[in-house]
Amino acid sequence: MQRSLVFVWMALAGALPVYSQSAASMGSHEEAQMGEMGPSMKMDMNMGGPAETLAANVLRHTTSGTSLEPDSTEPSMLMRMHSNWMLMLHGQASIVAQQQSGDRGHDKVFSANWIMPMAQRKWATGELTLRLMLSLEPATISGRYYPELFQQGETAYGRPIADGQHPHNLFMEVAALYDMKLGEQNLLSFYAALVGDPALGPVAYPHRDSAGEDPLAPLGHHLEDSTHIADDVLTGGGTWRKVHIEASGFHGREPDENRWTITVGAIDSWSARLTVAPAKDWSAQYSIGHLHSPEQVHPEEDVLRQTASVAYHHAWSGGAMTLDALALWGRNHTIGTPENANGYLFEATTHVHDHHSVWTRIENADRTTDLLGENAPPEESVIGRVQAYTGGYAHRLYRDRYGIAELGAQATLYDTPESLRLFYGDRPMGVAVVLNLHLGH
């Protein structure tokens, strides 16, 4: 089974030349097709530039699930026309050599990666989007997780992961989306996914431009956006001018340790999200969701999750300099108990003259007794709050019409709470050398 799925991945990767022609370098045949589409269809199928309205931004569907970056964001992708279909390809891979200090720190070389082919076309009175997202992390992250101090969430070999981040599944998303225009700035939208992202949280960290250079998951991932690979997701939403409202039903249990297959489950959880775009450079969301038995090691616990975030994107000097930033809060309340776990995050990435990338991430995240390993009590509870400060830089090595390669490094300093200093020391740290590969421009 695993070998056959790897061959599927290789076949999709081999299809890269199909997408290799960008909008700026379309041949005469594709240009003629675009001319035959009519102005409304060309407007809806945004060619990767800034979206003129929130409705146009929704129709791009270039992020995880139905989440939204600011309207002015310019997605990185490869694209071309084929018959009546607009074909697009998004993707990113990071090769990381990670080292960490202290008794709980580990060293590892691994790769975090994903690729997302998409197809869009007019269908009936609306727009149909088909989207598949795949990751080879089950093969490129050995031992079922990569090292990351103070990180927790999901399991490896039947035990809660401590000081590590699990790989994503081979199938990160298998989804269909349909949008009906009710006016120039009004939409009805529908999303159905075997694996996908319900309306809960901001754009998931692998897809956020503000986190596009940092290969490590935020410490607050399981307080903020961990549902981006949920099973059996159904979402309905509406867009009116600068407001987007959605509601989802989905299976609340996190994926199991078999990362090569698609699992199914009953729709037993729900969420709702309000997104507003007050200006083209700004986007804000608030969401709330009830997750039924999300953790395998604590199956009796249901969680009420709330998140709120503000995202910003701006370009200067004709796009020679860009800034993407996100401020985010997430909370998990264990239903039936007084337990609340909070996470606060600020992250930003700037690109300078297409040669330099600089990024930072600052976090303040509650940690639970699962970090205690064999000494952990049966019932999970918050035992301290960790601060983490990350800074990184990368320099462009290569660029062509297919994408960009960058080489850089980042360092993270941690401030340990009193309750965990026996295990971690006062201020452990981690450093990583990173080779980032991005499809498109």
Side-chain angles (χ1 to χ4, degrees):
M1 176 64 177
Q2 295 183 8
R3 183 175 300 174
S4 65
L5 291 175
V6 171
F7 286 144
V8 170
W9 169 271
M10 294 173 64
L12 284 167
L16 176 62
V18 175
Y19 296 86
S20 64
Q21 211 165 11
S22 70
S25 59
M26 278 189 175
S28 58
H29 177 63
E30 283 78 16
E31 288 176 345
Q33 286 180 317
M34 289 295 290
E36 293 170 0
M37 290 166 65
S40 63
M41 188 170 181
K42 286 189 285 187
M43 178 188 66
D44 292 347
M45 291 187 173
N46 190 288
M47 299 299 292
E52 295 298 323
T53 64
L54 178 59
N57 191 9
V58 171
L59 289 169
R60 295 195 293 194
H61 294 309
T62 55
T63 59
S64 58
T66 56
S67 56
L68 294 169
E69 293 269 46
D71 295 348
S72 60
T73 303
E74 300 185 49
S76 177
M77 68 178 76
L78 303 172
M79 65 183 74
R80 67 172 296 170
M81 288 299 300
H82 179 73
S83 185
N84 292 323
W85 290 90
M86 173 69 77
L87 304 180
M88 290 161 281
L89 189 67
H90 310 251
Q92 181 173 330
S94 297
I95 301 172
V96 186
Q98 169 89 327
Q99 293 188 337
Q100 297 178 321
S101 69
D103 294 339
R104 299 287 290 263
H106 296 281
D107 305 337
K108 195 169 201 174
V109 177
F110 63 94
S111 173
N113 53 79
W114 58 271
I115 191 168
M116 185 168 73
M118 291 175 54
Q120 288 183 331
R121 64 162 296 163
K122 286 292 186 181
W123 191 57
T125 60
E127 180 179 294
L128 174 66
T129 302
L130 304 177
R131 198 165 67 195
L132 175 68
M133 183 160 56
L134 303 169
S135 174
L136 270 184
E137 288 181 6
T140 61
I141 297 176
S142 61
R144 302 189 183 181
Y145 65 90
Y146 63 76
E148 185 175 7
L149 286 170
F150 297 103
Q151 182 64 287
Q152 59 183 128
E154 300 198 17
T155 63
Y157 305 103
R159 296 183 176 181
I161 295 175
D163 303 310
Q165 172 64 28
H166 61 82
H168 291 107
N169 287 18
L170 172 66
F171 293 98
M172 292 177 69
E173 186 176 45
V174 181
L177 307 95
Y178 187 69
D179 301 278
M180 297 175 57
K181 292 197 72 173
L182 304 179
E184 198 62 32
Q185 299 188 55
N186 305 327
L187 291 173
L188 280 180
S189 301
F190 304 93
Y191 172 85
L194 287 174
V195 183
D197 190 356
L200 182 58
V203 176
Y205 79 89
H207 298 273
R208 295 198 295 259
D209 285 350
S210 57
E213 305 294 336
D214 188 338
L216 304 186
L219 293 180
H221 175 48
H222 284 265
L223 304 171
E224 299 155 354
D225 57 0
S226 62
T227 53
H228 74 109
I229 48 172
D231 296 320
D232 304 290
V233 183
L234 293 175
T235 300
T239 305
W240 182 75
R241 296 184 178 273
K242 297 180 181 295
V243 176
H244 186 60
I245 302 174
E246 308 164 89
S248 297
F250 58 99
H251 184 60
R253 175 62 61 88
E254 293 173 342
D256 60 27
E257 294 184 38
N258 186 346
R259 304 290 176 176
W260 297 97
T261 61
I262 296 176
T263 58
V264 295
I267 295 178
D268 53 16
S269 304
W270 60 265
S271 65
R273 180 168 58 201
L274 170 67
T275 303
V276 295
K280 66 177 183 178
D281 287 347
W282 294 90
S283 177
Q285 68 84 30
Y286 169 78
S287 55
I288 186 170
H290 181 283
L291 282 65
H292 175 65
S293 187
E295 296 186 39
Q296 296 184 40
V297 292
H298 303 287
E300 72 285 354
E301 296 179 355
D302 283 11
V303 169
L304 183 70
R305 179 172 296 170
Q306 298 181 73
T307 79
S309 62
V310 177
Y312 177 76
H313 169 86
H314 191 73
W316 295 268
S317 304
M321 296 180 61
T322 63
L323 172 66
D324 292 276
L326 179 80
L328 171 62
W329 163 74
R331 169 183 285 182
N332 282 350
H333 168 67
T334 303
I335 295 174
T337 76
E339 281 297 317
N340 291 310
N342 290 276
Y344 304 87
L345 173 149
F346 173 80
E347 63 187 18
T349 298
T350 184
H351 299 283
V352 183
H353 298 298
D354 204 29
H355 282 81
H356 311 279
S357 298
V358 181
W359 63 93
T360 187
R361 177 183 287 158
I362 301 171
E363 288 197 84
N364 194 326
D366 286 336
R367 302 292 81 182
T368 75
T369 48
D370 280 351
L371 284 182
L372 300 178
E374 295 180 355
N375 298 318
E379 295 184 359
E380 186 181 19
S381 61
V382 173
I383 58 172
R385 180 170 291 181
V386 173
Q387 286 80 45
Y389 308 90
T390 298
Y393 168 80
H395 183 75
R396 193 188 77 190
L397 299 177
Y398 178 78
R399 173 179 176 175
D400 65 12
R401 63 178 179 171
Y402 298 115
I404 296 171
E406 300 173 311
L407 180 63
Q410 70 176 44
T412 303
L413 302 178
Y414 301 90
D415 189 4
T416 310
E418 180 67 33
S419 56
L420 292 172
R421 287 180 183 173
L422 177 64
F423 303 97
Y424 293 90
D426 289 345
R427 291 179 175 82
M429 67 177 298
V431 296
V433 176
V434 182
L435 176 64
N436 283 329
L437 308 173
H438 303 271
L439 283 178
H441 301 304

